[in-house]
Amino acid sequence: MSRDAQKKLAAEKALEFVEDGTVVGVGTGSTVAFFIDGLARLKGRIEGAVSSSEQSTRQLKGHGIPVLDLNAVGPLKLYVDGADECDPWNRLIKGGGGALTREKIIAQASERFVCIIDEAKQVELLGKFPLPIEVIPMARSLVARAIAEMDGQPVWREGAVTDNGNWILDVYNWRIQDPVGLEAKLNQIPGVVTVGLFAARAADEVIIGDRIRPRR
Ligand code: 5RP
């Protein structure tokens, strides 16, 4: 089965988690795009969505799904998002699409985080996919030097500006043995806005194709 077909299957399966009358947290990316298309079919049954990016907001609004402010709706029942890598404990690398900050906020604000991926995203050890880190522009070099001291290879995603007006460093060459510890450590560097490691708040369920994989 093609990767796109697997993404679509996972997105369709995630629709089963949507409860009537609720506000749904919506991630960003090509897998989530399939989820939004599916959510359009349920739009009369939900109150609306909280969106993690301008890109997803456009697609949601295009389908006539109300996009709501997280501050106005409070904690969410469900957040559905994709990932760039996923380990057996449902810890993730995210941010390939640059939306990691809003994604992390919504994941944290949600009771249940359902992650939808295709098989190629499964790894034993996180880090083959370069780890995205959103930084305040003036701190780019400072953060890059701190990462280099930790044996990472930071590469500035030149030209990319996040929805929050910040920049992204992609860190190569890290085999991440302790995702929770690394996430906490990186969060301490001044100028780091968000680390694309979703380890402290991992996904509750990961759907690969139409299979729901339990956390190891
Ligand atoms: C965006 C993300 C996406 O979830 C991640 O990049 C996966 O995208 P796709 O579904 O297109 O493979 O974290 O910031």
Side-chain angles (χ1 to χ4, degrees), residues 16-99:
E16 295 174 14
F17 288 83
V18 175
E19 291 177 32
D20 287 0
T22 58
V23 176
V24 182
V26 174
T28 297
S30 57
T31 317
V32 165
F34 288 121
F35 177 75
I36 296 174
D37 285 343
L39 202 58
R41 300 197 303 270
L42 311 183
K43 75 177 170 195
R45 290 171 35 195
I46 59 167
E47 239 180 75
V50 170
S51 170
S52 61
S53 64
E54 300 304 324
Q55 182 189 318
S56 291
T57 297
R58 275 193 298 277
Q59 194 186 350
L60 287 160
K61 286 186 172 169
H63 282 304
I65 299 170
V67 176
L68 307 169
D69 176 1
L70 181 63
N71 293 305
V73 297
L76 304 178
K77 284 251 180 220
L78 174 69
Y79 178 51
V80 177
D81 198 358
D84 300 301
E85 271 186 0
C86 175
D87 82 2
W89 291 270
N90 294 358
R91 301 174 299 200
L92 313 169
I93 285 185
K94 291 187 44 56

Side-chain angles (χ1 to χ4, degrees), residues 94-121:
K94 291 187 44 56
L100 60 163
T101 295
R102 297 185 190 187
E103 291 174 338
K104 205 173 234 190
I105 292 167
I106 305 176
Q108 189 67 34
S110 300
E111 236 171 73
R112 184 176 223 167
F113 174 11
V114 173
C115 182
I116 48 179
I117 58 171
D118 59 273
E119 277 175 1
K121 308 266 183 76

